[in-house]
Amino acid sequence: MKKLMLLSVLVLTACATVKPVYVRDGVQVYKSTCNGMIRDISDCYALASEQCAGSFEVVNTVENTYDNMFDDNTEVKTTRYSGNTKTTYTEKGGSSFIKTPMVNRSLFFYCK
């Protein structure tokens, strides 16, 4: 029971980070991640603003929501934003030991 409570706390308070990544043509951009149930995409924007001293351009945002994670029919809902275009799709995945839904968010950006 203690392990389950600890795991729930970790899922809810997941961290936010920024790291450099490279796109297909070799250009470096940054990826900020804001995972967990209590964070939202505004946390990713705040990290981008901090990384670039307030001047950045968003390349893409991705949000994955993992539902029904206690059985073999895990559903993964992915939402991608590119400019004004929003695409959402659901996939079936493998099993997991976590019952609490998880949300992973990423913001890809470059500094101006």
Side-chain angles (χ1 to χ4, degrees):
M1 184 65 167
K2 289 181 183 179
K3 289 181 182 180
L4 181 59
M5 289 176 58
L6 178 62
L7 183 60
S8 295
V9 169
L10 290 174
V11 168
L12 292 175
T13 60
C15 63
T17 61
V18 175
K19 66 178 183 176
V21 295
Y22 294 90
V23 293
R24 286 184 209 161
D25 56 359
V27 175
Q28 179 184 338
V29 298
Y30 292 97
K31 175 184 176 184
S32 63
T33 56
C34 307
N35 302 331
M37 297 300 291
I38 61 172
R39 297 197 179 276
D40 60 20
I41 198 69
S42 66
D43 294 318
C44 286
Y45 277 90
L47 288 171
S49 182
E50 182 180 314
Q51 178 73 30
C52 299
S55 183
F56 65 94
E57 182 75 28
V58 175
V59 177
N60 196 10
T61 59
V62 178
E63 183 175 296
N64 294 317
T65 306
Y66 300 91
D67 295 322
N68 303 325
M69 299 190 81
F70 200 66
D71 58 19
D72 288 336
N73 292 318
T74 301
E75 290 185 9
V76 179
K77 179 181 175 186
T78 302
T79 304
R80 292 185 184 272
Y81 301 88
S82 182
N84 293 328
T85 305
K86 176 181 175 182
T87 306
T88 303
Y89 56 92
T90 303
E91 301 175 87
K92 291 286 187 182
S95 64
S96 176
F97 64 93
I98 302 171
K99 191 172 183 178
T100 306
M102 286 182 18
V103 179
N104 295 330
R105 293 174 198 83
S106 298
L107 176 72
F108 296 87
F109 63 95
Y110 61 89
C111 298
K112 289 184 177 180

